[in-house]
Amino acid sequence: MFVLWGTLAGLALWLELVYHFSGFGWTMLNPFYMIFLIVAWSGLWTLLIGVLKKRIKKIAYYVAIWLPTVWTSAQLVYLRIFKQPLLWEVMIRGGGDALTNYWRETLVGILKALPFLILLMLPAIAIPILLKWYRWRMPQFRSLQVMRSLVIVLVGIVGSVMVMKIGEIARLEYYEEYSEFYDPLIVAEEMGVLPLFHGDMTDRLRRLIGDWQRSQNRTEYVPVAARPTDAADGLPEDGTREKEDPDETAGPEPTPEVPEPPVIRPHQFDLDYDLLHQIADNKHQTWLADYIQYQVPVTTNEYTGMFEGYNLIFLTAEGFCTYAIDEELTPTLYKLANSGFVCENYYVPLWSTSTSDGEYINMTGLIPDGQHSMRNSAVNVQPFVLPAFFKNEGVYSYAYHNGELSYYERHETHPNMGYDFKACKLGKKLSEEEWGDKIFEMEQPTQWPASDYNMMVATVPEYVNDERFHVYYMTVSGHLQYSFSGNAMSSKNKEAVAELELSAGPKAYIACNIELDKAMENLLEQLEAAGQLENTVICLSADHYPYGLTDEEYEELAGKDLSAGKDFYRNTLILWNAGMGEPVYIDKACGPMDLLPTLLNLFGFEYDSRLYAGRDILSDREGLVVFMNRDFVTDSVIFIEKGDITTWLQDENGDDIVPDDQKESYLADRRQEVKDRYNFSAYIIQEDYYSDVLQAMIR
């Protein structure tokens, strides 16, 4: 019995050590929880194998050896490709998509990890051979062996519970990361694959139970316009707003010495807080009701309504970063990035479901909750996203993607937000008969990645002659792999980057983004030809930095060391209109979760600033960028949770912005604010809480 248990426990420990070293190097590993879980799980397998009969016993034995080996190997390959652990949500909901669309990346990931994959598989090959060599036979358990196995399992369970209980009582960091603020990447790095598996299954079970409970209590609510009804009074039936004739409305000339001050008012709806608390049926909903009620709303500012009545084209650019911008190679991106609103401290964090989560935070102003937040939101009401506000003014919302219609289930998520969503390919899950009208025709749609330029040529004519429009694009030309053999757009633009003194990866990255630049150039040309350029706002943000490059390649592309603070995630926001004139420079820390509130303010929509995790970039609020692992950047500090690394920022005189006697309380307040915004975002999606807000809106 002990030989069987020892080989299984030893195998699990070996897998953990190889995974940790190959995935994270010589970083600190907290082994206690992992070891007790290994004791428990190997004890369970031992008990199962011991009580089974003959042939089934042997099958269970090989499953116990190869299942964790294959799982750990898959985790390592996935980590190498996506910089994130592989979770069950991905396996269940996105596994087929990943195999179909990322087979090239998977092959590259396997090749890069091959030496470590061999190390992972060695014990699974060697253990059966050695046991057979020594003529060891798997035991058939009697009562004594069963009792011993149960004791081992009990020791593992009690030990793991005690480790977590000690962490809870002592408020140790690992407990918070695992139980209160579950971060898969940190758990994988600091605790191991088995704790990741255990935590992932626990988290998924919790979500399934919560979904079932909500399904039992949910009342169907019809989504209504997010704007209060009195805000639409006086609009014509088509929802458009006519410009007033200045000759008819002009009053006496104001006295130059005494200009009329702007009216400052809060961005908030009139909510019935008593009702909001009455309809709360669990602690999360009660927490949300309190949080919204006592949040201080953001106020209007000098830019409020600056683009009222304009069109909006909003793009999430695949793998985009500042270093794709070059005055000669990508001149359109250069022009857009260096005029309009120029955010000098814009960060784009990397989230668990990289592109989909990047879209989610861009489009909702909420922090992703675990993995596949966008997919999970498809069953929730979405009354406070851009299409809802534009619809209230009679404006149609389009969305396009030069990839598969079904990928990440965008055919469900984007229409749920209010977009008429189309793609250039159908995807294997959908039938031509039902979904064929949602495919737009473009040149070479099967290229990988497809051309952003071809997408613009094909789609802009559909809306450019509308009186007013809102359009969303998810681009794909900047997708990994960054090589001239594995990326059609890099190959297409290879000649343009031939003279660059860079290695192949960075060259290929710039080459594929030349296609994005061509797309933006064509977009501006079509807008200008239709007379729509002056009254159209362009907003472009990345979904994530190009993690398809190695860290060394990314620093080569940047031409500098990026190890300080959160420099890897520094990026560029494009927020531009042709009629702006001189650029507006903004030095506050900001990120994608701030985009939606910023756009709502610029377009003069009546919205509630308390219903988002982000804040209007142009407001007087201090900037705050939140990262997946609870790191954050403000206008005063860069904080790295792992190791409590704090970098205090300085003013123009070289003094710390936060005085020494206030630093401790400032940091504590910001850390709590980060937790609150995370919890707020998680509970909003988990509880479908905007349904409650709609009920509580006083009209």
Side-chain angles (χ1 to χ4, degrees), residues 264-268 295-301 304 588 597-598 601 607-612 614-622 677:
I264 303 299
R265 54 187 176 80
H267 279 304
Q268 69 178 95
Q295 278 291 297
V296 178
V298 174
T299 60
T300 56
N301 53 62
T304 301
K588 74 157 56 175
T598 303
N601 177 69
Y607 78 100
D608 195 322
S609 58
R610 303 167 301 173
L611 300 179
Y612 306 95
R615 301 291 183 264
D616 175 15
I617 295 171
L618 302 167
S619 71
D620 58 1
R621 293 296 176 87
E622 182 186 34
R677 294 206 199 184

PDB file of all heavy atoms in Angstrom, residues 264-268 295-301 304 588 597-598 601 607-612 614-622 677:
ATOM      1  N   ILE A 264     -21.659  72.686 -12.465  1.00  0.00           N
ATOM      2  CA  ILE A 264     -21.075  71.404 -12.086  1.00  0.00           C
ATOM      3  C   ILE A 264     -22.154  70.568 -11.415  1.00  0.00           C
ATOM      4  O   ILE A 264     -22.768  70.997 -10.441  1.00  0.00           O
ATOM      5  CB  ILE A 264     -19.875  71.597 -11.139  1.00  0.00           C
ATOM      6  CG1 ILE A 264     -18.820  72.488 -11.790  1.00  0.00           C
ATOM      7  CG2 ILE A 264     -19.283  70.242 -10.766  1.00  0.00           C
ATOM      8  CD1 ILE A 264     -18.252  71.937 -13.076  1.00  0.00           C
ATOM      9  N   ARG A 265     -22.384  69.392 -11.941  1.00  0.00           N
ATOM     10  CA  ARG A 265     -23.406  68.514 -11.370  1.00  0.00           C
ATOM     11  C   ARG A 265     -22.879  67.085 -11.341  1.00  0.00           C
ATOM     12  O   ARG A 265     -21.989  66.724 -12.117  1.00  0.00           O
ATOM     13  CB  ARG A 265     -24.703  68.588 -12.176  1.00  0.00           C
ATOM     14  CG  ARG A 265     -24.525  68.323 -13.654  1.00  0.00           C
ATOM     15  CD  ARG A 265     -25.804  68.577 -14.440  1.00  0.00           C
ATOM     16  NE  ARG A 265     -25.594  68.414 -15.861  1.00  0.00           N
ATOM     17  CZ  ARG A 265     -25.552  67.247 -16.493  1.00  0.00           C
ATOM     18  NH1 ARG A 265     -25.716  66.131 -15.800  1.00  0.00           N
ATOM     19  NH2 ARG A 265     -25.354  67.181 -17.790  1.00  0.00           N
ATOM     20  N   PRO A 266     -23.404  66.267 -10.457  1.00  0.00           N
ATOM     21  CA  PRO A 266     -22.919  64.889 -10.353  1.00  0.00           C
ATOM     22  C   PRO A 266     -23.441  64.014 -11.481  1.00  0.00           C
ATOM     23  O   PRO A 266     -24.568  64.175 -11.947  1.00  0.00           O
ATOM     24  CB  PRO A 266     -23.466  64.427  -9.001  1.00  0.00           C
ATOM     25  CG  PRO A 266     -24.693  65.254  -8.791  1.00  0.00           C
ATOM     26  CD  PRO A 266     -24.407  66.594  -9.414  1.00  0.00           C
ATOM     27  N   HIS A 267     -22.600  63.087 -11.907  1.00  0.00           N
ATOM     28  CA  HIS A 267     -23.022  62.061 -12.861  1.00  0.00           C
ATOM     29  C   HIS A 267     -23.659  60.930 -12.067  1.00  0.00           C
ATOM     30  O   HIS A 267     -22.999  59.990 -11.620  1.00  0.00           O
ATOM     31  CB  HIS A 267     -21.821  61.530 -13.640  1.00  0.00           C
ATOM     32  CG  HIS A 267     -21.398  62.392 -14.787  1.00  0.00           C
ATOM     33  ND1 HIS A 267     -22.244  62.755 -15.811  1.00  0.00           N
ATOM     34  CD2 HIS A 267     -20.199  62.958 -15.089  1.00  0.00           C
ATOM     35  CE1 HIS A 267     -21.591  63.504 -16.688  1.00  0.00           C
ATOM     36  NE2 HIS A 267     -20.349  63.649 -16.260  1.00  0.00           N
ATOM     37  N   GLN A 268     -24.983  61.006 -11.859  1.00  0.00           N
ATOM     38  CA  GLN A 268     -25.671  59.951 -11.135  1.00  0.00           C
ATOM     39  C   GLN A 268     -27.154  59.956 -11.472  1.00  0.00           C
ATOM     40  O   GLN A 268     -27.724  60.985 -11.857  1.00  0.00           O
ATOM     41  CB  GLN A 268     -25.491  60.114  -9.629  1.00  0.00           C
ATOM     42  CG  GLN A 268     -26.207  61.315  -9.021  1.00  0.00           C
ATOM     43  CD  GLN A 268     -26.021  61.397  -7.524  1.00  0.00           C
ATOM     44  OE1 GLN A 268     -25.140  62.093  -7.043  1.00  0.00           O
ATOM     45  NE2 GLN A 268     -26.860  60.678  -6.795  1.00  0.00           N
ATOM     46  N   GLN A 295     -21.063  55.815  -2.550  1.00  0.00           N
ATOM     47  CA  GLN A 295     -19.997  56.309  -3.416  1.00  0.00           C
ATOM     48  C   GLN A 295     -20.257  57.765  -3.782  1.00  0.00           C
ATOM     49  O   GLN A 295     -21.395  58.160  -4.055  1.00  0.00           O
ATOM     50  CB  GLN A 295     -19.937  55.481  -4.703  1.00  0.00           C
ATOM     51  CG  GLN A 295     -19.181  54.177  -4.566  1.00  0.00           C
ATOM     52  CD  GLN A 295     -17.696  54.384  -4.372  1.00  0.00           C
ATOM     53  OE1 GLN A 295     -17.000  54.919  -5.214  1.00  0.00           O
ATOM     54  NE2 GLN A 295     -17.207  53.947  -3.228  1.00  0.00           N
ATOM     55  N   VAL A 296     -19.210  58.556  -3.787  1.00  0.00           N
ATOM     56  CA  VAL A 296     -19.333  59.954  -4.212  1.00  0.00           C
ATOM     57  C   VAL A 296     -19.255  59.984  -5.737  1.00  0.00           C
ATOM     58  O   VAL A 296     -18.248  59.570  -6.314  1.00  0.00           O
ATOM     59  CB  VAL A 296     -18.220  60.823  -3.615  1.00  0.00           C
ATOM     60  CG1 VAL A 296     -18.341  62.254  -4.124  1.00  0.00           C
ATOM     61  CG2 VAL A 296     -18.254  60.772  -2.094  1.00  0.00           C
ATOM     62  N   PRO A 297     -20.301  60.439  -6.408  1.00  0.00           N
ATOM     63  CA  PRO A 297     -20.291  60.405  -7.875  1.00  0.00           C
ATOM     64  C   PRO A 297     -19.287  61.387  -8.468  1.00  0.00           C
ATOM     65  O   PRO A 297     -18.970  62.421  -7.870  1.00  0.00           O
ATOM     66  CB  PRO A 297     -21.724  60.791  -8.249  1.00  0.00           C
ATOM     67  CG  PRO A 297     -22.221  61.580  -7.077  1.00  0.00           C
ATOM     68  CD  PRO A 297     -21.560  60.989  -5.873  1.00  0.00           C
ATOM     69  N   VAL A 298     -18.774  61.039  -9.641  1.00  0.00           N
ATOM     70  CA  VAL A 298     -17.928  61.950 -10.407  1.00  0.00           C
ATOM     71  C   VAL A 298     -18.802  63.074 -10.943  1.00  0.00           C
ATOM     72  O   VAL A 298     -19.980  62.871 -11.258  1.00  0.00           O
ATOM     73  CB  VAL A 298     -17.235  61.188 -11.559  1.00  0.00           C
ATOM     74  CG1 VAL A 298     -16.460  62.136 -12.458  1.00  0.00           C
ATOM     75  CG2 VAL A 298     -16.321  60.111 -10.998  1.00  0.00           C
ATOM     76  N   THR A 299     -18.240  64.259 -11.059  1.00  0.00           N
ATOM     77  CA  THR A 299     -19.015  65.406 -11.544  1.00  0.00           C
ATOM     78  C   THR A 299     -18.673  65.727 -12.996  1.00  0.00           C
ATOM     79  O   THR A 299     -17.690  65.235 -13.546  1.00  0.00           O
ATOM     80  CB  THR A 299     -18.742  66.651 -10.684  1.00  0.00           C
ATOM     81  OG1 THR A 299     -17.347  66.971 -10.740  1.00  0.00           O
ATOM     82  CG2 THR A 299     -19.133  66.403  -9.236  1.00  0.00           C
ATOM     83  N   THR A 300     -19.499  66.558 -13.585  1.00  0.00           N
ATOM     84  CA  THR A 300     -19.233  67.050 -14.936  1.00  0.00           C
ATOM     85  C   THR A 300     -17.978  67.919 -14.926  1.00  0.00           C
ATOM     86  O   THR A 300     -17.513  68.361 -13.869  1.00  0.00           O
ATOM     87  CB  THR A 300     -20.419  67.863 -15.456  1.00  0.00           C
ATOM     88  OG1 THR A 300     -20.701  68.934 -14.535  1.00  0.00           O
ATOM     89  CG2 THR A 300     -21.664  66.998 -15.585  1.00  0.00           C
ATOM     90  N   ASN A 301     -17.456  68.174 -16.107  1.00  0.00           N
ATOM     91  CA  ASN A 301     -16.248  68.994 -16.223  1.00  0.00           C
ATOM     92  C   ASN A 301     -16.281  69.782 -17.526  1.00  0.00           C
ATOM     93  O   ASN A 301     -17.286  69.739 -18.249  1.00  0.00           O
ATOM     94  CB  ASN A 301     -14.999  68.112 -16.127  1.00  0.00           C
ATOM     95  CG  ASN A 301     -15.032  66.953 -17.113  1.00  0.00           C
ATOM     96  OD1 ASN A 301     -15.059  67.151 -18.322  1.00  0.00           O
ATOM     97  ND2 ASN A 301     -15.066  65.729 -16.589  1.00  0.00           N
ATOM     98  N   THR A 304     -17.465  67.923 -20.668  1.00  0.00           N
ATOM     99  CA  THR A 304     -18.778  67.283 -20.708  1.00  0.00           C
ATOM    100  C   THR A 304     -19.560  67.749 -21.933  1.00  0.00           C
ATOM    101  O   THR A 304     -19.721  68.954 -22.159  1.00  0.00           O
ATOM    102  CB  THR A 304     -19.574  67.602 -19.437  1.00  0.00           C
ATOM    103  OG1 THR A 304     -18.856  67.136 -18.295  1.00  0.00           O
ATOM    104  CG2 THR A 304     -20.941  66.938 -19.472  1.00  0.00           C
ATOM    105  N   LYS A 588      -2.527  61.933 -15.877  1.00  0.00           N
ATOM    106  CA  LYS A 588      -2.981  61.068 -14.788  1.00  0.00           C
ATOM    107  C   LYS A 588      -2.902  59.608 -15.205  1.00  0.00           C
ATOM    108  O   LYS A 588      -2.950  59.267 -16.383  1.00  0.00           O
ATOM    109  CB  LYS A 588      -4.406  61.427 -14.349  1.00  0.00           C
ATOM    110  CG  LYS A 588      -5.478  60.995 -15.324  1.00  0.00           C
ATOM    111  CD  LYS A 588      -6.858  60.845 -14.665  1.00  0.00           C
ATOM    112  CE  LYS A 588      -7.331  62.088 -13.975  1.00  0.00           C
ATOM    113  NZ  LYS A 588      -8.714  61.938 -13.450  1.00  0.00           N
ATOM    114  N   PRO A 597     -16.782  55.401 -18.981  1.00  0.00           N
ATOM    115  CA  PRO A 597     -17.217  56.647 -18.332  1.00  0.00           C
ATOM    116  C   PRO A 597     -16.700  57.907 -19.032  1.00  0.00           C
ATOM    117  O   PRO A 597     -17.412  58.912 -19.096  1.00  0.00           O
ATOM    118  CB  PRO A 597     -16.633  56.524 -16.912  1.00  0.00           C
ATOM    119  CG  PRO A 597     -16.421  55.076 -16.697  1.00  0.00           C
ATOM    120  CD  PRO A 597     -16.064  54.514 -18.039  1.00  0.00           C
ATOM    121  N   THR A 598     -15.486  57.836 -19.567  1.00  0.00           N
ATOM    122  CA  THR A 598     -14.922  58.995 -20.269  1.00  0.00           C
ATOM    123  C   THR A 598     -15.725  59.319 -21.515  1.00  0.00           C
ATOM    124  O   THR A 598     -16.054  60.486 -21.779  1.00  0.00           O
ATOM    125  CB  THR A 598     -13.453  58.727 -20.641  1.00  0.00           C
ATOM    126  OG1 THR A 598     -12.704  58.417 -19.465  1.00  0.00           O
ATOM    127  CG2 THR A 598     -12.830  59.936 -21.324  1.00  0.00           C
ATOM    128  N   ASN A 601     -19.172  60.811 -20.741  1.00  0.00           N
ATOM    129  CA  ASN A 601     -19.075  62.231 -20.391  1.00  0.00           C
ATOM    130  C   ASN A 601     -18.841  63.086 -21.628  1.00  0.00           C
ATOM    131  O   ASN A 601     -19.493  64.125 -21.810  1.00  0.00           O
ATOM    132  CB  ASN A 601     -17.933  62.438 -19.392  1.00  0.00           C
ATOM    133  CG  ASN A 601     -17.734  63.905 -19.038  1.00  0.00           C
ATOM    134  OD1 ASN A 601     -18.564  64.517 -18.379  1.00  0.00           O
ATOM    135  ND2 ASN A 601     -16.635  64.479 -19.497  1.00  0.00           N
ATOM    136  N   TYR A 607     -25.444  59.639 -17.264  1.00  0.00           N
ATOM    137  CA  TYR A 607     -25.081  58.311 -16.774  1.00  0.00           C
ATOM    138  C   TYR A 607     -24.771  58.392 -15.291  1.00  0.00           C
ATOM    139  O   TYR A 607     -24.651  59.478 -14.725  1.00  0.00           O
ATOM    140  CB  TYR A 607     -23.873  57.766 -17.553  1.00  0.00           C
ATOM    141  CG  TYR A 607     -22.531  58.339 -17.149  1.00  0.00           C
ATOM    142  CD1 TYR A 607     -21.680  57.630 -16.298  1.00  0.00           C
ATOM    143  CD2 TYR A 607     -22.096  59.583 -17.608  1.00  0.00           C
ATOM    144  CE1 TYR A 607     -20.445  58.140 -15.919  1.00  0.00           C
ATOM    145  CE2 TYR A 607     -20.866  60.102 -17.234  1.00  0.00           C
ATOM    146  CZ  TYR A 607     -20.044  59.381 -16.396  1.00  0.00           C
ATOM    147  OH  TYR A 607     -18.832  59.890 -16.014  1.00  0.00           O
ATOM    148  N   ASP A 608     -24.619  57.224 -14.670  1.00  0.00           N
ATOM    149  CA  ASP A 608     -24.297  57.166 -13.246  1.00  0.00           C
ATOM    150  C   ASP A 608     -22.875  56.656 -13.085  1.00  0.00           C
ATOM    151  O   ASP A 608     -22.586  55.484 -13.369  1.00  0.00           O
ATOM    152  CB  ASP A 608     -25.277  56.253 -12.506  1.00  0.00           C
ATOM    153  CG  ASP A 608     -25.222  56.446 -10.993  1.00  0.00           C
ATOM    154  OD1 ASP A 608     -24.106  56.654 -10.467  1.00  0.00           O
ATOM    155  OD2 ASP A 608     -26.285  56.390 -10.338  1.00  0.00           O
ATOM    156  N   SER A 609     -21.985  57.513 -12.637  1.00  0.00           N
ATOM    157  CA  SER A 609     -20.566  57.171 -12.538  1.00  0.00           C
ATOM    158  C   SER A 609     -20.301  56.100 -11.489  1.00  0.00           C
ATOM    159  O   SER A 609     -19.225  55.489 -11.479  1.00  0.00           O
ATOM    160  CB  SER A 609     -19.753  58.424 -12.204  1.00  0.00           C
ATOM    161  OG  SER A 609     -20.207  59.007 -10.983  1.00  0.00           O
ATOM    162  N   ARG A 610     -21.258  55.849 -10.614  1.00  0.00           N
ATOM    163  CA  ARG A 610     -21.073  54.854  -9.558  1.00  0.00           C
ATOM    164  C   ARG A 610     -21.316  53.429 -10.044  1.00  0.00           C
ATOM    165  O   ARG A 610     -21.080  52.478  -9.290  1.00  0.00           O
ATOM    166  CB  ARG A 610     -22.013  55.169  -8.393  1.00  0.00           C
ATOM    167  CG  ARG A 610     -21.824  56.568  -7.809  1.00  0.00           C
ATOM    168  CD  ARG A 610     -22.982  56.930  -6.892  1.00  0.00           C
ATOM    169  NE  ARG A 610     -24.260  56.903  -7.586  1.00  0.00           N
ATOM    170  CZ  ARG A 610     -25.440  57.041  -7.003  1.00  0.00           C
ATOM    171  NH1 ARG A 610     -25.500  57.222  -5.689  1.00  0.00           N
ATOM    172  NH2 ARG A 610     -26.558  57.004  -7.701  1.00  0.00           N
ATOM    173  N   LEU A 611     -21.769  53.286 -11.282  1.00  0.00           N
ATOM    174  CA  LEU A 611     -22.119  51.966 -11.808  1.00  0.00           C
ATOM    175  C   LEU A 611     -20.989  51.326 -12.603  1.00  0.00           C
ATOM    176  O   LEU A 611     -21.197  50.326 -13.297  1.00  0.00           O
ATOM    177  CB  LEU A 611     -23.370  52.067 -12.688  1.00  0.00           C
ATOM    178  CG  LEU A 611     -24.627  52.586 -11.983  1.00  0.00           C
ATOM    179  CD1 LEU A 611     -25.789  52.652 -12.955  1.00  0.00           C
ATOM    180  CD2 LEU A 611     -24.974  51.712 -10.782  1.00  0.00           C
ATOM    181  N   TYR A 612     -19.788  51.895 -12.501  1.00  0.00           N
ATOM    182  CA  TYR A 612     -18.633  51.376 -13.222  1.00  0.00           C
ATOM    183  C   TYR A 612     -17.444  51.283 -12.271  1.00  0.00           C
ATOM    184  O   TYR A 612     -17.360  52.012 -11.279  1.00  0.00           O
ATOM    185  CB  TYR A 612     -18.273  52.291 -14.403  1.00  0.00           C
ATOM    186  CG  TYR A 612     -19.437  52.550 -15.323  1.00  0.00           C
ATOM    187  CD1 TYR A 612     -20.232  53.688 -15.168  1.00  0.00           C
ATOM    188  CD2 TYR A 612     -19.767  51.654 -16.334  1.00  0.00           C
ATOM    189  CE1 TYR A 612     -21.315  53.921 -15.995  1.00  0.00           C
ATOM    190  CE2 TYR A 612     -20.846  51.883 -17.178  1.00  0.00           C
ATOM    191  CZ  TYR A 612     -21.621  53.022 -16.997  1.00  0.00           C
ATOM    192  OH  TYR A 612     -22.691  53.249 -17.814  1.00  0.00           O
ATOM    193  N   GLY A 614     -14.427  51.931 -13.454  1.00  0.00           N
ATOM    194  CA  GLY A 614     -13.570  53.013 -13.924  1.00  0.00           C
ATOM    195  C   GLY A 614     -14.165  54.377 -13.652  1.00  0.00           C
ATOM    196  O   GLY A 614     -15.320  54.505 -13.230  1.00  0.00           O
ATOM    197  N   ARG A 615     -13.356  55.390 -13.897  1.00  0.00           N
ATOM    198  CA  ARG A 615     -13.775  56.784 -13.702  1.00  0.00           C
ATOM    199  C   ARG A 615     -13.394  57.604 -14.933  1.00  0.00           C
ATOM    200  O   ARG A 615     -12.425  57.298 -15.625  1.00  0.00           O
ATOM    201  CB  ARG A 615     -13.103  57.383 -12.465  1.00  0.00           C
ATOM    202  CG  ARG A 615     -13.393  56.634 -11.161  1.00  0.00           C
ATOM    203  CD  ARG A 615     -14.834  56.794 -10.723  1.00  0.00           C
ATOM    204  NE  ARG A 615     -15.087  56.147  -9.445  1.00  0.00           N
ATOM    205  CZ  ARG A 615     -15.587  54.925  -9.296  1.00  0.00           C
ATOM    206  NH1 ARG A 615     -15.869  54.196 -10.373  1.00  0.00           N
ATOM    207  NH2 ARG A 615     -15.795  54.412  -8.099  1.00  0.00           N
ATOM    208  N   ASP A 616     -14.136  58.653 -15.178  1.00  0.00           N
ATOM    209  CA  ASP A 616     -13.865  59.560 -16.294  1.00  0.00           C
ATOM    210  C   ASP A 616     -12.430  60.079 -16.210  1.00  0.00           C
ATOM    211  O   ASP A 616     -12.031  60.697 -15.219  1.00  0.00           O
ATOM    212  CB  ASP A 616     -14.875  60.711 -16.238  1.00  0.00           C
ATOM    213  CG  ASP A 616     -14.621  61.783 -17.291  1.00  0.00           C
ATOM    214  OD1 ASP A 616     -13.855  61.523 -18.234  1.00  0.00           O
ATOM    215  OD2 ASP A 616     -15.198  62.879 -17.152  1.00  0.00           O
ATOM    216  N   ILE A 617     -11.645  59.822 -17.250  1.00  0.00           N
ATOM    217  CA  ILE A 617     -10.246  60.258 -17.272  1.00  0.00           C
ATOM    218  C   ILE A 617     -10.134  61.767 -17.158  1.00  0.00           C
ATOM    219  O   ILE A 617      -9.170  62.295 -16.571  1.00  0.00           O
ATOM    220  CB  ILE A 617      -9.564  59.770 -18.569  1.00  0.00           C
ATOM    221  CG1 ILE A 617      -9.505  58.235 -18.588  1.00  0.00           C
ATOM    222  CG2 ILE A 617      -8.168  60.350 -18.716  1.00  0.00           C
ATOM    223  CD1 ILE A 617      -9.050  57.655 -19.918  1.00  0.00           C
ATOM    224  N   LEU A 618     -11.111  62.492 -17.682  1.00  0.00           N
ATOM    225  CA  LEU A 618     -11.053  63.950 -17.719  1.00  0.00           C
ATOM    226  C   LEU A 618     -11.614  64.604 -16.462  1.00  0.00           C
ATOM    227  O   LEU A 618     -11.655  65.829 -16.373  1.00  0.00           O
ATOM    228  CB  LEU A 618     -11.814  64.453 -18.952  1.00  0.00           C
ATOM    229  CG  LEU A 618     -11.284  63.905 -20.285  1.00  0.00           C
ATOM    230  CD1 LEU A 618     -12.255  64.193 -21.408  1.00  0.00           C
ATOM    231  CD2 LEU A 618      -9.912  64.470 -20.585  1.00  0.00           C
ATOM    232  N   SER A 619     -12.024  63.805 -15.501  1.00  0.00           N
ATOM    233  CA  SER A 619     -12.577  64.346 -14.259  1.00  0.00           C
ATOM    234  C   SER A 619     -11.451  64.753 -13.321  1.00  0.00           C
ATOM    235  O   SER A 619     -10.270  64.559 -13.603  1.00  0.00           O
ATOM    236  CB  SER A 619     -13.469  63.302 -13.575  1.00  0.00           C
ATOM    237  OG  SER A 619     -12.673  62.255 -13.040  1.00  0.00           O
ATOM    238  N   ASP A 620     -11.833  65.276 -12.158  1.00  0.00           N
ATOM    239  CA  ASP A 620     -10.834  65.706 -11.181  1.00  0.00           C
ATOM    240  C   ASP A 620     -10.429  64.578 -10.233  1.00  0.00           C
ATOM    241  O   ASP A 620      -9.688  64.804  -9.274  1.00  0.00           O
ATOM    242  CB  ASP A 620     -11.360  66.896 -10.376  1.00  0.00           C
ATOM    243  CG  ASP A 620     -12.665  66.573  -9.643  1.00  0.00           C
ATOM    244  OD1 ASP A 620     -13.144  65.425  -9.751  1.00  0.00           O
ATOM    245  OD2 ASP A 620     -13.200  67.482  -8.974  1.00  0.00           O
ATOM    246  N   ARG A 621     -10.894  63.354 -10.487  1.00  0.00           N
ATOM    247  CA  ARG A 621     -10.543  62.225  -9.627  1.00  0.00           C
ATOM    248  C   ARG A 621      -9.102  61.790  -9.866  1.00  0.00           C
ATOM    249  O   ARG A 621      -8.620  61.826 -11.003  1.00  0.00           O
ATOM    250  CB  ARG A 621     -11.472  61.039  -9.875  1.00  0.00           C
ATOM    251  CG  ARG A 621     -12.900  61.283  -9.458  1.00  0.00           C
ATOM    252  CD  ARG A 621     -13.002  61.505  -7.939  1.00  0.00           C
ATOM    253  NE  ARG A 621     -14.350  61.837  -7.552  1.00  0.00           N
ATOM    254  CZ  ARG A 621     -15.281  60.929  -7.263  1.00  0.00           C
ATOM    255  NH1 ARG A 621     -14.998  59.648  -7.325  1.00  0.00           N
ATOM    256  NH2 ARG A 621     -16.487  61.324  -6.916  1.00  0.00           N
ATOM    257  N   GLU A 622      -8.451  61.341  -8.795  1.00  0.00           N
ATOM    258  CA  GLU A 622      -7.104  60.802  -8.953  1.00  0.00           C
ATOM    259  C   GLU A 622      -7.164  59.544  -9.812  1.00  0.00           C
ATOM    260  O   GLU A 622      -8.085  58.738  -9.710  1.00  0.00           O
ATOM    261  CB  GLU A 622      -6.497  60.452  -7.594  1.00  0.00           C
ATOM    262  CG  GLU A 622      -5.067  59.927  -7.714  1.00  0.00           C
ATOM    263  CD  GLU A 622      -4.483  59.435  -6.402  1.00  0.00           C
ATOM    264  OE1 GLU A 622      -5.244  58.889  -5.591  1.00  0.00           O
ATOM    265  OE2 GLU A 622      -3.267  59.613  -6.200  1.00  0.00           O
ATOM    266  N   ARG A 677     -13.301  47.818  -5.822  1.00  0.00           N
ATOM    267  CA  ARG A 677     -13.643  47.876  -7.247  1.00  0.00           C
ATOM    268  C   ARG A 677     -13.659  46.477  -7.858  1.00  0.00           C
ATOM    269  O   ARG A 677     -14.456  46.193  -8.760  1.00  0.00           O
ATOM    270  CB  ARG A 677     -12.662  48.789  -7.990  1.00  0.00           C
ATOM    271  CG  ARG A 677     -12.767  50.250  -7.569  1.00  0.00           C
ATOM    272  CD  ARG A 677     -12.305  51.174  -8.663  1.00  0.00           C
ATOM    273  NE  ARG A 677     -11.983  52.513  -8.149  1.00  0.00           N
ATOM    274  CZ  ARG A 677     -11.635  53.530  -8.911  1.00  0.00           C
ATOM    275  NH1 ARG A 677     -11.546  53.372 -10.214  1.00  0.00           N
ATOM    276  NH2 ARG A 677     -11.342  54.704  -8.381  1.00  0.00           N
TER     277      ARG A 677
END
